[in-house]
Amino acid sequence: MDIPVVNFNAYKLGEDQIPDERLSIMIEEIKQAFTATGFVFLENTGIEQQEVNRVMDVSKKFFLLPEDTKKLCARNSDHENFNDGWVSSEIERLNPLRPGDLKEAFNISHLDSVLKWPSDASIPEFQEVLDSFFRRCKALALRVLEVTALSLGLQRDFFVKKHKLIGTNKNCTTLRTLYYPPLHNVTVKPNQVRCGEHSDYGSVTLLFQDESGGLEVMHRSGQYISAPCIPGTVLVNIADLMQRWTSDVLVSTSHRVVLPSDDKMNTSRQSMAFFVNPDNDEIISCCDGSSKYPPVNALQYTKDRAYIAYKDANNSNLAF
């Protein structure tokens, strides 16, 4: 029941001359993963582990800043760039039946954003590093969308042409760097976890994680299985809009981050997720021409889903 590992070398970033045989084998392997668990580890993508490590290093410096400093960069849903900025611990509750998630996040969705970046002298490179990594993730995500289309017998650009505006205020694709603080000095509430059970909202998600563990994915058997860190890989999963788009051929799967074992309660955890969404004005209809799901506006669908995660936040400006 392990999540499969697929070699993406045939279509990695910077690779343009692709033999059809190599590409067709990779496409079939990815389709099998997306139709079974909805998750796949991709190796040899062109994004190197040292790039990931650099983003995690500068992100951790931000998360260790005093809370009053981080509040200056807080997410503000009243702004046009409603998802950008810092989100404090326990504000989100991705499983509404659990207490707030024990994690912090910093979101960036618009490369020309007027987001208040941290001015702390200890991390002058924070904006540059996140902007650069956003662009790298965007490039890889578009290739994943092309492969996904080809795996379904669609034109290569079928999905990509619905994602033309990533990085602008016309698309809410988001790079999210996440920090799960140590819990040895925290009173953990009953049924509280680091990240509650949920499925992602948009098209696909790229995930990079450290070796702390805790991520679990629901298998079709109904059991949760571990999704450990495999250095040098990207964990890619199908999200809800893509499942609707493909009339359930590709599956969006519930996942969570559980509490560490007692002997690791004093350790933190980090990850970065690149949540890929179609352009805001796109209407998503079943790509097979069926009416299994009614058409839905991409932005409204995302906002409706995010509202559930934030609706009980104490600070009213954190709700849509």
Side-chain angles (χ1 to χ4, degrees):
M1 293 195 302
D2 292 341
I3 297 169
V5 179
V6 173
N7 189 343
F8 202 71
N9 188 62
Y11 208 26
K12 70 179 182 180
L13 298 180
E15 182 65 64
D16 296 318
Q17 303 298 322
I18 309 156
D20 289 342
E21 182 179 353
R22 288 173 58 202
L23 186 60
S24 62
I25 293 172
M26 182 191 70
I27 288 171
E28 183 57 32
E29 290 176 337
I30 290 175
K31 182 180 180 180
Q32 289 178 10
F34 283 165
T35 56
T37 63
F39 277 76
V40 65
F41 287 103
L42 298 183
E43 61 182 358
N44 298 317
T45 62
I47 293 181
E48 303 297 338
Q49 186 61 42
Q50 56 263 36
E51 297 179 66
V52 176
N53 294 342
R54 186 181 183 216
V55 183
M56 286 193 178
D57 288 346
V58 298
S59 295
K60 190 168 187 177
K61 289 180 182 178
F62 168 78
F63 289 118
L64 294 180
L65 292 173
E67 185 159 323
D68 286 346
T69 301
K70 291 184 287 188
K71 282 181 178 178
L72 299 175
C73 309
R75 175 185 177 278
N76 183 352
S77 63
D78 292 333
H79 193 273
E80 179 185 18
N81 299 344
F82 60 83
N83 200 34
D84 287 12
W86 175 64
V87 180
S88 62
S89 184
E90 300 189 72
I91 287 294
E92 293 180 346
R93 194 168 64 163
L94 291 183
N95 181 345
L97 301 180
R98 291 186 182 273
D101 296 342
L102 292 166
K103 68 177 190 295
E104 298 180 36
F106 189 92
N107 303 337
I108 171 175
S109 61
H110 306 133
L111 295 176
D112 56 353
S113 173
V114 294
L115 168 68
K116 292 182 179 178
W117 290 89
S119 57
D120 193 272
S122 64
I123 46 172
E125 71 275 32
F126 189 59
Q127 180 176 359
E128 176 189 350
V129 169
L130 263 65
D131 274 2
S132 175
F133 196 66
F134 185 107
R135 296 176 196 277
R136 295 283 283 164
C137 289
K138 174 185 174 180
L140 178 58
L142 294 178
R143 292 203 167 205
V144 169
L145 289 172
E146 288 183 345
V147 169
T148 302
L150 291 172
S151 77
L152 298 168
L154 302 170
Q155 292 295 315
R156 185 188 295 259
D157 67 347
F158 181 87
F159 295 121
V160 168
K161 64 186 180 183
K162 304 290 187 181
H163 297 76
K164 290 182 177 179
L165 302 175
I166 291 175
T168 76
N169 62 3
K170 303 297 184 183
N171 180 296
C172 59
T173 293
T174 300
L175 173 62
R176 160 168 267 212
T177 180
L178 294 135
Y179 179 70
Y180 302 80
L183 299 172
H184 58 297
N185 291 323
V186 175
T187 301
V188 178
K189 301 178 180 70
N191 297 317
Q192 193 169 30
V193 292
R194 279 180 154 171
C195 183
E197 296 84 355
H198 67 285
S199 55
D200 296 341
Y201 310 154
S203 304
V204 296
T205 302
L206 312 182
L207 181 72
F208 309 82
Q209 55 179 333
D210 69 11
E211 297 187 40
S212 301
L215 177 64
E216 296 182 343
V217 172
M218 180 176 279
H219 189 264
R220 278 189 163 177
S221 65
Q223 295 179 307
Y224 275 95
I225 61 175
S226 175
C229 169
I230 302 178
T233 68
V234 183
L235 183 58
V236 182
N237 66 276
I238 295 296
D240 292 347
L241 269 178
M242 183 62 76
Q243 177 167 326
R244 292 175 63 109
W245 218 336
T246 63
S247 301
D248 297 338
V249 173
L250 307 184
V251 294
S252 178
T253 307
S254 178
H255 47 285
R256 65 189 182 186
V257 180
V258 297
L259 297 178
S261 57
D262 289 344
D263 62 325
K264 294 184 178 180
M265 293 291 276
N266 64 341
T267 61
S268 61
R269 179 182 189 273
Q270 282 186 264
S271 65
M272 285 104 61
F274 191 68
F275 297 102
V276 182
N277 289 277
D279 297 336
N280 294 348
D281 292 337
E282 292 293 342
I283 303 299
I284 305 306
S285 301
C286 296
C287 64
D288 62 0
S290 73
S291 55
K292 187 166 189 177
Y293 292 101
V296 64
N297 171 263
L299 178 61
Q300 191 60 51
Y301 181 84
T302 300
K303 283 191 169 186
D304 290 346
R305 290 290 306 278
Y307 172 79
I308 296 172
Y310 284 100
K311 68 178 180 179
D312 292 326
N314 293 326
N315 188 340
S316 62
N317 75 352
L318 288 173
F320 290 120

